[in-house]
């Protein structure tokens, strides 16, 4: 019999997209699914939609909590899960019909711990804006795993459950940029990773999502700093080798500065050293009040805010 896959869906005020998301999961060609939907205190019709789907499909389990954020919702879903494998789908996204069949198959074929699928970034009109595409790869060392990262996405993957639960890998609660540390820990504690270009996760780019909401931009920026420091602390604690550290720095540059600046190779090379030599300085000034003050003074959504901050602190760029 097929092993069970637990699919965790954190739900908050996404009535416009929720049905499409759930249909893409329940119509998977891989049938042995446990679909755990965590209603994070939605105030729209999400609760009703979830109830209707749960009546029709016994694989759907609905958990309800007061609004505490996506990290708490995912963590509660993980704790309730009983599958041998765990996957995440955000409620405004959707997945290919063979998504979990393909990921499960390559995990079993290579006795792997994490399987990766393509990411298609789509707009509201379902047009693919860009794609993070993988050929079939079998990855053994940490540096190569990190080198595949273009973002901190946790949802285009399938994880062997013991890797997550035995190493107590949960999302940091109360943070917006919660995926990055979770993902780095997962890659570190996992064995073989595999990738495929046969299926895709469709990540919807929409106005009003948590990472696009202007009201949350400042918190996102502050949480980004905390995320980076937490990742670097973890790398130091686990004594990442030199190759892994170099790949990690490149990933953190992308997180910190954003694609618009990372694409400039000359700036990229300068920032590689920043995250090494200046780490303890950043750690020292990492006070919520200080960060908020400087972001209020220098904030710019194209990434140039960081250059201004570094100049304020007399760091060469």
């Amino acid at each position: 019999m097929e092993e069970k896959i637990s699919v965790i869906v954190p739900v908050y005020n996404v009535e416009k997209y929720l049905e499409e998301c759930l249909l893409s999961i329940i119509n998977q060609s891989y049938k042995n699914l446990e679909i755990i939907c965590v209603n994070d205190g939605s105030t729209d019709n999400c609760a009703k939609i979830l109830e209707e789907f749960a009546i029709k499909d016994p694989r759907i389990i609905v958990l309800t909590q007061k609004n505490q954020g996506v990290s708490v919702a995912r963590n509660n879903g993980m704790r309730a899960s009983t599958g041998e494998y765990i996957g995440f789908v955000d409620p405004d996204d959707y997945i290919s019909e063979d998504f979990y069949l393909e990921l499960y198959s390559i995990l079993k074929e290579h006795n792997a711990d994490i399987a990766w699928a393509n990411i298609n970034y789509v707009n509201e009109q379902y047009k693919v804006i860009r794609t993070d595409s993988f050929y079939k790869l079998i990855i053994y060392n940490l540096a190569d795993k990190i080198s595949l990262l273009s973002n901190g996405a946790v949802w285009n993957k399938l994880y062997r459950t013991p890797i997550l639960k035995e190493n107590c890998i949960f999302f940091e609660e109360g943070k917006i940029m919660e995926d990055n540390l979770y993902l780095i820990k997962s890659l570190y504690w996992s064995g073989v990773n595999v990738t495929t270009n046969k299926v895709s996760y469709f990540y919807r780019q929409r106005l009003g999502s948590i990472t696009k909401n202007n009201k949350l931009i400042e918190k996102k920026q502050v949480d980004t700093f905390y995320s980076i420091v937490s990742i670097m602390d973890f790398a130091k604690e686990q004594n990442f080798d030199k190759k892994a550290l170099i790949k990690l720095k490149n990933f953190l540059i992308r997180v910190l500065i954003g694609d618009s600046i990372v694409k400039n190779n000359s700036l990229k090379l300068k920032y590689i050293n920043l995250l090494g030599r200046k780490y303890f300085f950043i750690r020292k000034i990492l006070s919520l009040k200080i960060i908020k003050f400087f972001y209020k003074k220098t904030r710019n959504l194209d990434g140039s805010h960081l250059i201004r901050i570094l100049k304020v602190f007399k760091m060469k760029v």
Side-chain angles (χ1 to χ4, degrees), residues 7-23:
V7 183
I8 297 168
V9 185
V11 178
Y12 180 71
N13 286 358
V14 284
E15 62 180 0
K16 180 179 177 181
Y17 310 101
L18 183 56
E19 182 174 348
E20 180 179 28
C21 173
L22 294 177
L23 285 173

Side-chain angles (χ1 to χ4, degrees), residues 1 6 30 46 62 87 102 121 136 163 165 167 169 172 177 182 197 203 211 213 219 288 310:
M1 183 180 178
S6 297
Y30 192 96
C46 283
V62 179
E102 170 67 10
Y121 297 78
K136 185 173 182 179
I163 296 301
K165 292 191 174 181
N167 293 293
I169 302 174
E172 186 172 358
M177 304 302 292
Y182 183 96
N197 62 357
Y203 174 47
T211 53
N213 189 326
K219 177 171 174 55
L288 186 63
L310 297 179

Side-chain angles (χ1 to χ4, degrees), residues 40 48 123 139 172 187 216 242:
D40 184 34
K48 182 180 179 181
N123 62 20
I139 309 151
E172 186 172 358
L187 297 183
L216 297 174
K242 185 175 180 180

Side-chain angles (χ1 to χ4, degrees), residues 60-203:
I60 294 179
I61 300 168
V62 179
L63 306 179
T64 302
Q65 63 181 44
K66 64 180 182 180
N67 181 237
Q68 300 174 76
V70 64
S71 295
V72 176
R74 286 176 176 164
N75 288 343
N76 286 336
M78 286 180 60
R79 294 186 183 100
S81 66
T82 61
E84 288 82 9
Y85 300 88
I86 286 178
F88 301 96
V89 178
D90 280 355
D92 47 354
D93 301 333
Y94 55 99
I95 54 179
S96 301
E97 183 179 0
D98 295 326
F99 186 82
Y100 284 118
L101 177 62
E102 170 67 10
L103 295 185
Y104 174 79
S105 297
I106 61 174
L107 277 178
K108 296 296 288 184
E109 179 184 355
H110 299 287
N111 193 27
D113 290 327
I114 303 177
W116 304 43
N118 289 348
I119 303 173
N120 284 334
Y121 297 78
V122 298
N123 62 20
E124 296 277 12
Q125 291 72 44
Y126 299 93
K127 180 180 178 181
V128 176
I129 302 168
R130 70 181 178 92
T131 298
D132 290 346
S133 183
F134 303 105
Y135 295 101
K136 185 173 182 179
L137 298 173
I138 307 169
I139 309 151
Y140 298 95
N141 67 73
L142 181 59
D144 288 343
K145 297 172 195 174
I146 297 173
S147 69
L148 291 177
L149 295 174
S150 61
N151 56 41
V154 299
W155 24 249
N156 68 318
K157 302 171 178 68
L158 182 63
Y159 308 79
R160 195 183 295 274
T161 300
I163 296 301
L164 304 178
K165 292 191 174 181
E166 291 177 6
N167 293 293
C168 298
I169 302 174
F170 290 94
F171 294 91
E172 186 172 358
E173 299 180 358
K175 302 293 182 184
I176 293 178
M177 304 302 292
E178 73 285 345
D179 289 8
N180 296 321
L181 180 59
Y182 183 96
L183 185 54
I184 293 299
K185 286 184 175 181
S186 300
L187 297 183
Y188 175 78
W189 290 113
S190 65
V192 176
N193 280 220
V194 287
T195 67
T196 179
N197 62 357
K198 292 183 179 180
V199 290
S200 294
Y201 184 101
F202 293 87
Y203 174 47

